[in-house]
Amino acid sequence: MVKKKKSPKKGEKSYLLILLIAFLVFAFLEIDFPDELLHDIIPKQEETTKQEASKKGDNPGPIEHGPATFTDYELKNSTKGWIEYGLRDKQGRPTEANALIKPDMINTGTSANQAIRPPGFISGKAPNNHSRGHLIGKQLGGTGDEMENLVTLYQNPVNTPFMTKYENMVRKAADNGETIRYRVTPVYKEDEPMPIAVDMEAKGLDKNSTIDFYVTIENKK
């Protein structure tokens, strides 16, 4: 059943009619009509759409591929959590970070060391908007004192809110006592110093875990 749109109440109709007549009179006399009253006549939808569009850059947002791609061997559990950072490549760029996240690792990481400048990093201020982005996030136990865990990302919207959204999902599961296999891989284009994207994968090892994702976040403003 299609719902009918609500019609304006009698009082609202009279108010709008008076405003419309006043608008026509002002127009005839070539007098500017008050903006605050004009907004009551002209719908704000177009204005809202323009404001929302102006807030969006070139980043399409997280691209979800489905479940994580870990092999059975990679999902093998252990009694303790761990984090392993891949070796840097010839350009000094971090290559991969793997982890087995357990509850006792939450909030044991460190903030990004300001003395470290990951490849491609210029400035955190406009117009660069760069961030020393953790591969394994601070809240998940990742260090900010090793180059192998820091890449140059755009702070907004890549580092936050996009990556933070998925890190928060993993953190919440760990807070609930779960163990999560986790991997973050920067994706590079040829010899460019900054990654063009970041792949994030996570899978909860508990039987009833809801954590199972593989997502790509493009490194764009």
Side-chain angles (χ1 to χ4, degrees):
M1 180 181 293
V2 179
K3 293 184 179 179
K4 294 182 179 180
K5 293 183 180 179
K6 292 183 179 179
S7 301
K9 295 180 180 178
K10 186 175 181 180
E12 293 176 343
K13 286 182 178 179
S14 299
Y15 172 69
L16 291 174
L17 180 59
I18 293 172
L19 283 180
L20 182 58
I21 293 172
F23 176 75
L24 294 174
V25 171
F26 273 62
F28 179 76
L29 297 176
E30 298 183 349
I31 301 174
D32 291 335
F33 194 73
D35 288 341
E36 60 271 21
L37 296 180
L38 186 62
H39 280 267
D40 287 340
I41 301 175
I42 301 176
K44 297 182 180 180
Q45 183 176 359
E46 182 178 352
E47 179 183 343
T48 301
T49 302
K50 288 181 180 179
Q51 290 176 349
E52 290 178 350
S54 67
K55 294 178 181 179
K56 296 179 180 178
D58 295 328
N59 199 310
I63 303 169
E64 297 188 351
H65 304 292
T69 63
F70 296 109
T71 65
D72 290 340
Y73 178 79
E74 289 174 323
L75 293 175
K76 189 176 181 180
N77 198 358
S78 63
T79 55
K80 293 183 178 181
W82 50 266
I83 295 177
E84 292 181 356
Y85 304 113
L87 298 176
R88 284 180 282 160
D89 64 15
K90 293 180 180 179
Q91 283 75 39
R93 304 174 300 188
T95 55
E96 187 176 79
N98 282 275
L100 186 70
I101 308 294
K102 287 184 173 285
D104 61 358
M105 296 169 62
I106 297 303
N107 282 337
T108 61
T110 56
S111 299
N113 189 326
Q114 299 301 296
I116 295 178
R117 298 179 71 85
F121 185 91
I122 298 176
S123 172
K125 299 179 180 180
N128 302 109
N129 188 32
H130 286 167
S131 169
R132 298 169 173 85
H134 290 62
L135 295 180
I136 305 296
K138 173 186 174 182
Q139 63 174 321
L140 303 179
T143 180
D145 297 309
E146 295 186 30
M147 282 280 290
E148 289 75 10
N149 193 42
L150 297 176
V151 295
T152 299
L153 302 175
Y154 289 109
Q155 176 62 23
N156 302 106
V158 182
N159 201 25
T160 180
F162 293 158
M163 286 186 70
T164 301
K165 170 187 174 181
Y166 293 92
E167 291 170 347
N168 287 343
M169 291 168 59
V170 174
R171 189 254 174 84
K172 183 178 179 180
D175 281 340
N176 290 333
E178 291 190 36
T179 296
I180 304 98
R181 184 67 168 85
Y182 189 60
R183 176 165 60 213
V184 182
T185 308
V187 180
Y188 299 101
K189 180 180 179 181
E190 299 177 348
D191 292 336
E192 292 183 8
M194 289 174 58
I196 60 172
V198 177
D199 288 338
M200 304 177 72
E201 295 180 79
K203 184 173 179 62
L205 302 189
D206 292 24
K207 184 178 180 180
N208 297 320
S209 178
T210 59
I211 299 297
D212 191 3
F213 64 77
Y214 169 25
V215 61
T216 295
I217 298 173
E218 295 186 21
N219 196 19
K220 295 180 178 180
K221 293 182 182 179

